[in-house]
Amino acid sequence: MSAESASVNFSELVNKNKQTLARLKESPRLLLHRRDGEDLVLTTAARAEQDQTVVSAATRMLAAMARREPGSMELLLGILPDAFPWVRFLPEPDLHAFAVELVDTMRAADSLGNSASVAQLLVAWRHTAEVYSDPELLNALTRDHTDDYGPAPDPRDAA
């Protein structure tokens, strides 16, 4: 949550809803802490629409830049380490694959108005970079495993 967001307990919204909601005039978002579940973010519909408009515009500009100019992919590859320092651990072919997949996924997610797939993509590629950053882990995951441990049990039987 950004520094401009206010933080309140969920019970404050329930017990003092007018005073709590009035805080949205001072802060664009309220972070609602809950004891029995995941924290929530409260904002106005207009602010949520503005945020989506900004993300959508940035996505469309990035996608257009990446596709329009021949040298733009090199530019994108050059700035990715500034945005995501962990990409420095990716081999060159994987860095290129990440850049292409990121732009394509951002475009597709924007068309649906749902960024969950972009977040999932970033987490997956970050984990890939973590593997490449650890020589022991990379070796363990990429070496040939000649042992056959037999058939794997059906995971549906465990339920």
Side-chain angles (χ1 to χ4, degrees), residues 27-149:
S27 176
R29 290 171 200 80
L30 293 178
L31 177 61
L32 302 173
H33 296 291
R34 299 189 314 162
R35 281 183 280 159
D36 59 349
E38 186 176 1
D39 290 348
L40 302 173
V41 176
L42 182 65
T43 191
T44 65
R47 176 57 136 193
E49 187 176 334
Q50 287 173 352
D51 291 348
Q52 182 57 40
T53 299
V54 170
V55 170
S56 182
T59 296
R60 282 187 252 133
M61 288 179 2
L62 177 65
M65 182 196 79
R67 286 182 166 69
R68 179 160 287 175
E69 295 296 323
S72 62
M73 184 53 78
E74 286 71 30
L75 175 63
L76 180 59
L77 292 171
I79 64 172
L80 280 176
D82 292 332
F84 309 105
W86 46 262
V87 301
R88 288 177 171 84
F89 294 111
L90 294 174
E92 190 67 33
D94 285 356
L95 177 60
H96 190 271
F98 167 64
V100 169
E101 192 173 353
L102 178 62
V103 170
D104 290 346
T105 303
M106 288 176 70
R107 285 187 68 225
D110 180 54
S111 73
L112 295 174
N114 185 337
S115 61
S117 58
V118 177
Q120 181 181 359
L121 174 96
L122 290 170
V123 168
W125 275 104
R126 183 169 179 251
H127 288 316
T128 301
E130 286 177 289
V131 170
Y132 279 111
S133 74
D134 184 338
E136 288 181 30
L137 182 57
L138 180 61
N139 183 46
L141 293 174
T142 58
R143 69 184 155 105
D144 284 337
H145 297 279
T146 56
D147 296 334
D148 184 355
Y149 298 103

